[in-house]
Amino acid sequence: METELSKKLGVEHAIFGFTPFPAVAAAITRAGGFGVLGAVRYTAPDDLKRDLDWMQAHTDGKPYGLDVVMPAKKAVDGISEADIEAMIPAGHRDFVRDTLAKHHVPELAEGEASGWRITGWMEQVARNQLDVAFDYPIKLLANALGSPPADVIARAHGHGILVAALAGSAKHARRHAEAGIDIVVAQGYEAGGHTGDIATMVLVPEIVEAVAPLPVLAAGGIGSGEQIAAGLALGAQGAWLGSLWLTTTEADLHSRALTAKLLAAGSGDTVRSRALTGKPARQLRTEWTDAWDDPEGPGALPMPLQGLLVAEAVSRIQKYGIQPLLGTPVGQIVGRMTEERSVQAVFDDLTSGFEKAIDRINRIAGRVREA
């Protein structure tokens, strides 16, 4: 499963695995793919440094990358988090409180922090993450929300690091190319997390044509080797997979109830909702997302206000495993995630499926693959 891009990065298989879990990212790299660690959870630079130290010790000298979030359009800029918090309307806070009370969600213990606060959407937080990351031999820097600022691209290139950006349309992809990025991730509608409204099968060839000769990675709804083969057939130089790793044994969701929900979900059990961050993000459909998407409700706030508003609520829902409200970003490929497996087992399945797809096409074309 080699391509020109995978050879350039020194990986055996053109499988790029995005994950918030260091153990999963390292396992992807060890299995012959390219692990990409999501940095948005790291509001403290020392925490990111700790996990990058761990990655260094557990990747056998093989390459890996980092994914940050630097929004192309900022709802707020240049003010403190406390000032941003003050911008949240009282009615929205009441809505959160009433929704949690309706489902009898317990309070956090006195003095207990609320866990993940989505301040990684703020540019300065991402810049602090990069101050740490550039001290490590990462080979790829990806940005989930548009092209990084020009100085960040230049700084990455100065360290010999390739820069990737996710795109949901050919128009966005062209902007990335003009900004000087090296790789475009064509992320279709089926993908988990922030995503646009064009399906992967349509999007990938459009972006390949729009940014040629820049390499493109196919993303969204990909969870089998056959689908990876389809992405390469459409002109991509690899596949970007995220959701598939959530139910691996190395993942740390901190909730058996959430893992069980993922394993039981079908491909129709997700929804694009602004409930989590303020931007449309595909996630499990729950009574929490239904409440925020209800026209009778107050509606989600823009990023990063929504993330700050719901941070404690999400922590409480996850800590106490409140089943009707419990969810996570995940793509439509969740319907294939029916059992817990190791990252290596997932890789074995992906490579086997890829080989079967190539054999099938060769038979259709009247060719026999060389031994």
Side-chain angles (χ1 to χ4, degrees):
M1 214 183 298
E2 284 188 334
T3 65
E4 183 180 343
L5 179 60
S6 68
K7 291 176 182 177
K8 183 175 183 177
L9 287 168
V11 296
E12 182 180 359
H13 302 298
I15 298 174
F16 295 73
F18 164 78
T19 173
F21 307 118
V24 176
I28 290 168
T29 287
R30 292 197 306 271
F34 191 96
V36 181
L37 179 65
V40 72
R41 294 174 181 262
Y42 296 97
T43 55
D46 285 347
D47 291 341
L48 179 58
K49 183 179 186 304
R50 176 201 64 216
D51 282 356
L52 287 177
D53 283 341
W54 190 93
M55 289 278 292
Q56 276 294 104
H58 292 84
T59 47
D60 298 339
K62 296 179 179 180
Y64 62 91
L66 191 74
D67 179 280
V68 297
V69 176
M70 304 182 86
K73 295 181 180 179
K74 298 179 280 262
V76 289
D77 191 24
I79 59 177
S80 70
E81 183 179 331
D83 290 335
I84 297 172
E85 289 263 17
M87 297 170 64
I88 297 173
H92 281 73
R93 294 190 185 278
D94 292 342
F95 182 75
V96 170
R97 185 190 64 244
D98 294 345
T99 303
L100 296 178
K102 176 182 176 182
H103 292 275
H104 308 290
V105 182
E107 298 277 354
L108 295 175
E110 185 175 351
E112 183 177 358
S114 63
W116 179 31
R117 292 178 60 76
I118 312 177
T119 53
W121 314 118
M122 299 165 65
E123 182 176 318
Q124 187 54 51
V125 175
R127 287 183 177 276
N128 291 340
Q129 293 165 350
L130 293 177
D131 287 340
V132 172
F134 284 141
D135 287 336
Y136 292 82
I138 61 173
K139 299 301 182 183
L140 176 71
L141 174 66
N143 188 41
L145 292 175
S147 303
D151 68 297
V152 171
I153 296 174
R155 189 177 175 192
H157 287 165
H159 285 270
I161 299 168
L162 297 181
V163 180
L166 276 65
S169 72
K171 179 180 179 181
H172 294 158
R174 290 189 193 96
R175 289 177 182 168
H176 295 338
E178 292 167 0
I181 63 95
D182 306 290
I183 302 165
V184 176
V185 181
Q187 181 171 274
Y189 171 84
E190 304 94 326
H194 297 113
T195 185
D197 53 12
I198 303 175
T200 304
M201 183 65 74
V202 175
L203 182 67
V204 172
E206 285 188 354
I207 287 183
V208 168
E209 181 178 349
V211 303
L214 282 184
V216 172
L217 299 177
I222 299 176
S224 72
E226 291 87 349
Q227 290 170 311
I228 293 174
L232 298 188
L234 294 173
Q237 288 199 31
W240 177 277
L241 284 65
S243 298
L244 193 64
W245 316 110
L246 289 173
T247 53
T248 56
T249 53
E250 292 91 344
D252 186 13
L253 287 177
H254 300 292
S255 171
R256 295 302 304 170
L258 181 53
T259 299
K261 269 190 111 167
L262 288 170
L263 295 175
S267 57
D269 293 328
T270 68
V271 64
R272 284 174 76 238
S273 172
R274 299 177 184 269
L276 184 61
T277 69
K279 285 184 176 288
R282 185 171 297 285
Q283 54 202 281
L284 279 180
R285 182 177 181 179
T286 66
E287 293 189 26
W288 178 255
T289 63
D290 285 348
W292 282 104
D293 296 338
D294 188 339
E296 300 296 321
L301 296 169
M303 178 184 285
L305 301 180
Q306 181 71 12
L308 293 172
L309 169 65
V310 305
E312 180 178 326
V314 171
S315 292
R316 289 164 60 185
I317 291 166
Q318 292 177 345
K319 176 178 179 177
Y320 299 110
I322 308 302
Q323 189 73 8
L325 305 179
L326 191 62
T328 185
V330 69
Q332 291 180 329
I333 199 62
V334 69
R336 293 185 62 94
M337 297 156 52
T338 57
E339 61 178 331
E340 290 184 82
R341 298 180 294 166
S342 68
V343 168
Q344 184 62 61
V346 171
F347 251 84
D348 292 343
D349 184 58
L350 292 173
T351 54
S352 174
F354 181 83
E355 291 172 356
K356 290 177 182 176
I358 298 302
D359 286 343
R360 186 180 303 121
I361 295 300
N362 281 330
R363 287 196 301 273
I364 292 171
R367 296 190 298 268
V368 178
R369 192 160 61 98
E370 294 183 3

